[in-house]
Amino acid sequence: MGKEKLTYVGAGRPIRDAALKVTGQLKYTADMKLPHMLYAKLLFSPLAHAKIKHIDTSKAEALPGVKAVLTYKNSPRIPYNSAMRFYEHKIPEVEYVFDDTVRFVGDRVAAVAAEDLETAEKAIRLIEVEYGELPAVFDPEEALQADAPQIHPGGNKVAEIKAEAGNVEEGFAEADLIFEDRYTVPAIHHGAIETHVAIADYDRRGKLTVWSPNQNTFAFRIILSKILEMPMNKVRVIRPAIGGGFGGKLEATIEPVVALLAKMTGRPVKLELNRRESMVSTRTRHGAVVYLKTGVKKDGTIVAQDFKVIINTGAYATSALNVTAAMSHKVFKVYKTKHLRFTGIPVYTNTPIAGAMRGYGSPQAFFAQQVQLNKIAKALKMDMVELQLKNLVEPDGIDQRFGKPIGNPRPIDCVLKGAAAFKWEGYKLSEDNGRFKRGIGMAVGSHGNGCFGAHRDVTALILKMNEDGTATLFTGTHDMGNGSVTVQTQIIGEILGIDPENIECVEADTEAVPWNLGDYASRGVFVSGKAAQKVAENVKEQILREASLLLQVPAEELDLKDGFVYSVKNPEQKATLCEVLVNAQKVSQREIIGAETYASIAGPASYGAHFAEVEVDTETGRVKVLRYVAAHDVGRAINPLATEGQIEGAIQMGIGYALTEGLEFDAGGKTINNSLKKYHLLTASEMPQTKVILVEEGEDPGPFGAKSIGECSVVPSAPAVVNAVSNALGVEFKDLPVKPEKILQALGK
């Protein structure tokens, strides 16, 4: 795909609200205060599994300043799934706003709304609860046993999702060597700077308005409409600025609570969780156990691979089916392996609820696959890069499961360019470098672009031109700091020939913008960016028609550039956009406005290859990542500055997944490391020297050949680092995170 010279597409620029953020002027939900607003607090379960035998809220209700107390006794008995994406989405509905059974330490028991936060906190302490403790299970494999405590009716196995290409048994019969391993990955915290917060207002007209920094306003409206039994036109959800999402704000968590409290009191109510509450009581990444069997020829050809993944979905189903299904698709798009099988089993346990998180299943599966490939390369005495190049899908490759083309996959380019920049070939380890051992590792990863093939994948946009030649975009995109709305303005600016600064945006408000499926599954650039292209082309056509009347030049001989409409044959014959738009109002008596709905027509994958060099202190077990190269197939970078920022952030997240992060529980299921002090997120000072390489070979039908990168970029990071540690020490590591104590144990210290 050719790469034509463009003005705004391909130019790095800061995200739209960067100045507001760095000057502290951007208003977040926690900054908002409505007249007569009440403050809410939640009471959480101290037990992992229990029946509420008795709950007494009388003392709390009698406390001056308390306006409402909410429990299972006075909340709707309407089941729902907080991960619902669209109106008739069929996924298990086992959640209630409050239930008479608690299923993990941190589950909701009651809520209070009071005149001030201190009173709400005091009232929470006055609620008396008598629990009848039930047996609990925390390990997903134990939860599958026949005698395991049952967490929901029907058993702990939520589903079993299978996908298969070729004949795996025949493939293994062809193999010269077979490798079988078990890997584990933990639940982790999303780590968004902003904790969960929401405000709800229920007015005298019976209208509910909810301000929530979330990733799916339209789905939240459906959920609230269902729980509160209100028509959708009486429920409005507005997304203020989001202080980070990473999937953690895709599912409705505290919004139903705050909405019910507002309805009970008839006053606005704010509920803001602190860090400990957000870490334990909202969502985590799915922990998993991955059994992986791989058959190879002596020349390194992978002939068969069999995944069995047991996925810990925690106490409720939420995204269990979505994440497992997404995981199943990705592994078929990376290698030329003809015989491949995936079995995914999401399982209930009495642990915090797992939900969507950046990568959506891919980090778990690719960690196991890439670490095992490193082991296979050693066994075959092959270089890991050589093994990758022998098996990776080529640009004309197919999805092995469906036998259909997968666009323009470029993982081989990523490996070659990344290896060259890293100087992989020729790297030598000193034979005896004493206490500090150095090693290098690499890994490949992939993730999709949208939901095509799984379910509807739709974004609608409205674009309105103003008389002075500027424009206003009405978009349902929830920019989480990743610059997805900035990308839309760049695409529109390119087509209309106006600076993106001259495009204002109204974002993610169910009553002000058209429908959007939600911001997840790396839809931002590939799907919503294409919608921006489509609506801009609609408006451009209207402008050219109006300009044709003004300039007396056929519309097909006109084009747009730098705020002008000009004749292609005679560029001096031109008019400003302002002149054209005023003429449209004055003469044609119409407004230039476009509305378009775009449904994605393809589901290609994005790819990446990461390379890491580490130094391991064999006395302390501490690992320092020294340098890092990440090469990514992005089709085309609409905003290279934001793209590189996305990848650098993903590297930080991936290194943490590899070395430091993981929620830990005591014997009773209580989260031990429930604060940032105890939970080690990688800091800026711990980041390595990093180089990002963008492979831009185009991907049709992405806008200007672009595809998404936000989630793919986190996938190869953890296995690249773990492979480097393994290569430095000559020891296998199969369980994340690889903390110092695990390294010392492996070294026999």
Side-chain angles (χ1 to χ4, degrees), residues 43-65:
L43 176 65
F44 298 102
S45 170
L47 300 174
H49 199 192
K51 188 87 172 178
I52 298 175
K53 297 170 68 175
H54 179 69
I55 184 165
D56 184 352
T57 60
S58 58
K59 292 179 182 175
E61 291 167 357
L63 187 69

Side-chain angles (χ1 to χ4, degrees), residues 343-360:
T343 305
I345 304 172
V347 183
Y348 294 120
T349 65
N350 294 109
T351 59
I353 308 165
M357 188 172 177
R358 190 179 195 176
Y360 217 67

Side-chain angles (χ1 to χ4, degrees), residues 215 447-451 457-461 473 475-480 482-489 491 516-533 598 600 606 636 638 643 646 701-703 706-711:
Q215 299 172 227
H447 197 71
N449 285 259
C451 307
D457 196 356
V458 177
T459 293
L461 296 174
L473 173 67
T475 173
T477 293
H478 312 69
D479 197 316
M480 294 164 275
N482 52 353
S484 50
V485 174
T486 305
V487 162
Q488 292 177 14
T489 65
I491 292 168
N516 184 325
L517 179 64
D519 283 287
Y520 62 98
S522 291
R523 302 183 63 250
V525 167
F526 190 73
V527 182
S528 295
K530 189 69 176 182
Q533 181 178 350
Y598 175 70
S600 183
S606 298
R636 180 171 193 162
I638 302 290
T643 304
Q646 284 280 297
K707 52 187 173 184
S708 302
I709 196 60
E711 294 188 273

Side-chain angles (χ1 to χ4, degrees), residues 16 462-474 488-489 492-493 496-506 535-536 539-540 543 577 581 591-594:
R16 294 181 67 253
I462 295 173
L463 181 63
K464 180 172 74 71
M465 296 303 298
N466 304 312
E467 297 92 319
D468 61 355
T470 62
T472 304
L473 173 67
F474 299 82
Q488 292 177 14
T489 65
I492 293 169
L496 299 185
I498 59 176
D499 192 307
E501 286 294 325
N502 290 328
I503 303 170
E504 191 50 64
C505 301
V506 178
V535 77
V539 167
K540 178 180 179 178
I543 292 172
L577 276 177
L581 295 162
E591 184 176 39
I592 303 295
I593 184 169

Side-chain angles (χ1 to χ4, degrees), residues 643-722:
T643 304
E644 291 175 13
Q646 284 280 297
I647 295 171
E648 288 166 356
I651 293 168
Q652 183 267 355
M653 188 174 274
I655 295 174
Y657 195 39
L659 300 176
T660 67
E661 295 187 45
L663 292 170
E664 299 170 0
F665 308 97
D666 66 14
K670 181 180 178 181
T671 306
I672 300 168
N673 52 346
N674 60 355
S675 69
L676 293 185
K677 184 178 180 180
K678 298 176 181 175
Y679 183 92
H680 186 171
L681 288 171
L682 211 69
T683 63
S685 64
E686 295 172 288
M687 282 291 286
Q689 176 188 355
T690 300
K691 181 178 179 60
V692 173
I693 299 167
L694 303 181
V695 175
E696 299 183 80
E697 295 296 333
E699 183 69 70
D700 190 40
F704 296 96
K707 52 187 173 184
S708 302
I709 196 60
E711 294 188 273
C712 174
S713 49
V714 79
V715 179
S717 185
V721 171
V722 172

Side-chain angles (χ1 to χ4, degrees), residues 429-587:
L429 290 171
S430 58
E431 292 184 0
D432 181 7
N433 44 8
R435 169 178 169 177
F436 297 96
K437 307 289 186 187
R438 290 193 176 188
I440 58 173
M442 66 86 59
V444 167
S446 173
H447 197 71
N449 285 259
C451 307
F452 177 81
H455 54 65
R456 72 199 63 170
D457 196 356
V458 177
T459 293
L461 296 174
I462 295 173
L463 181 63
K464 180 172 74 71
M465 296 303 298
N466 304 312
E467 297 92 319
D468 61 355
T470 62
T472 304
L473 173 67
F474 299 82
T475 173
T477 293
H478 312 69
D479 197 316
M480 294 164 275
N482 52 353
S484 50
V485 174
T486 305
V487 162
Q488 292 177 14
T489 65
Q490 289 179 262
I491 292 168
I492 293 169
E494 187 68 50
I495 293 168
L496 299 185
I498 59 176
D499 192 307
E501 286 294 325
N502 290 328
I503 303 170
E504 191 50 64
C505 301
V506 178
E507 303 175 30
D509 176 339
T510 55
E511 290 196 352
V513 303
W515 185 62
N516 184 325
L517 179 64
D519 283 287
Y520 62 98
S522 291
R523 302 183 63 250
V525 167
F526 190 73
V527 182
S528 295
K530 189 69 176 182
Q533 181 178 350
K534 189 175 179 182
V535 77
E537 289 169 347
N538 174 317
V539 167
K540 178 180 179 178
E541 184 183 347
Q542 295 184 55
I543 292 172
L544 295 184
R545 273 193 274 124
E546 288 297 329
S548 174
L549 299 175
L550 180 66
L551 295 172
Q552 294 299 297
V553 175
E556 57 271 21
E557 295 178 12
L558 295 172
D559 206 348
L560 302 174
K561 188 176 182 182
D562 297 335
F564 287 89
V565 184
Y566 67 98
S567 166
V568 175
K569 293 182 177 177
N570 178 16
E572 294 305 314
Q573 190 175 7
K574 61 185 180 182
T576 66
L577 276 177
C578 176
E579 291 169 332
V580 174
L581 295 162
V582 170
N583 192 68
Q585 283 191 352
K586 181 180 177 181
V587 179

Side-chain angles (χ1 to χ4, degrees), residues 63-133:
L63 187 69
V66 170
K67 298 301 178 185
V69 179
L70 195 59
T71 71
Y72 77 91
K73 291 186 173 181
N74 59 348
S75 59
R77 189 65 184 167
I78 297 176
Y80 66 98
N81 187 311
S82 56
M84 175 183 280
R85 303 285 193 264
F86 46 88
Y87 194 75
E88 80 290 1
H89 196 185
K90 301 297 183 189
I91 47 179
E93 294 184 326
V94 295
E95 297 170 74
Y96 297 91
V97 182
F98 293 95
D99 198 1
D100 62 356
T101 301
V102 290
R103 296 178 175 85
F104 70 101
V105 178
D107 207 352
R108 290 193 296 257
V109 175
V112 168
E115 293 285 358
D116 55 72
L117 188 58
E118 292 72 22
T119 301
E121 290 173 337
K122 188 175 180 180
I124 283 292
R125 293 193 292 272
L126 293 174
I127 297 174
E128 298 174 358
V129 186
E130 182 183 354
Y131 296 99
E133 191 165 1

